Amino acid sequence: MRLFRSSEVVGIAADALDFAREAARDTHPNEYMGFLRGEPARNFDLDRTGTVITEVLIVPGTRSDETSATVDNNMIPNDSRAVGSIHSHPSGAIRPSDADLDTFGQGRVHIILGYPYGPDDWRAFDQRGELRELDVLDVDLPDPEEFFDFSEADLDLDDGRSPR
């Protein structure tokens, strides 16, 4: 099973990009790193085929300093919704380094966020490190807090002991 999808990535949800920019600011002056997950564009009633980046996955145990971020490969989930990676350059340079190019082999899109992490301080690249277009899309994403919005009645417990 392939870890990364083969369909074209047509854009990134504005909320996902905003989350990553905020995480990069919070991590500064160290590098920030995450992985990108997507959903079919048809889930958002877009007149396009392909995938929309909807989430940034933070991998537990990621270590970073001012010049690099390292992920423990054993902690990366085998995720069929994975589409690429995202990381920051605290120096402000928005181009892939040789080390970045070595990690771009998996996934369709790789985003670099440059200091000061403003709305235009990012670029998307393909697997070869070539600049590519990536639209920022204003789509409605599910509220992650809704995942935790339930009560004991929603669990359908019998006499409060165990699920049926």
Side-chain angles (χ1 to χ4, degrees), residues 97-149:
S97 66
D98 289 342
D100 293 337
L101 293 173
D102 289 342
T103 65
F104 280 7
Q106 295 290 329
R108 303 297 244 167
V109 63
H110 303 278
I111 297 174
I112 297 176
L113 307 161
Y115 178 81
Y117 316 114
D120 299 321
D121 298 324
W122 68 279
R123 301 286 180 276
F125 301 90
D126 66 15
Q127 291 175 307
R128 295 177 313 279
E130 300 291 326
L131 197 61
R132 61 156 290 171
E133 291 291 319
L134 188 66
D135 293 337
V136 178
L137 304 172
D138 186 19
V139 294
D140 289 326
L141 299 178
D143 182 357
E145 295 299 320
E146 289 178 12
F147 177 81
F148 298 103
D149 188 20

Side-chain angles (χ1 to χ4, degrees), residues 82-100:
V83 295
S85 67
I86 188 165
H87 75 280
S88 67
H89 281 180
S91 68
I94 310 177
R95 62 185 178 282
S97 66
D98 289 342
D100 293 337

Side-chain angles (χ1 to χ4, degrees), residues 17-37:
L17 183 58
D18 289 344
F19 170 85
R21 289 178 36 241
E22 183 176 330
R25 280 192 294 271
D26 289 347
T27 307
H28 190 84
N30 292 337
E31 272 199 16
Y32 156 80
M33 179 159 192
F35 290 91
L36 302 170
R37 297 172 76 191

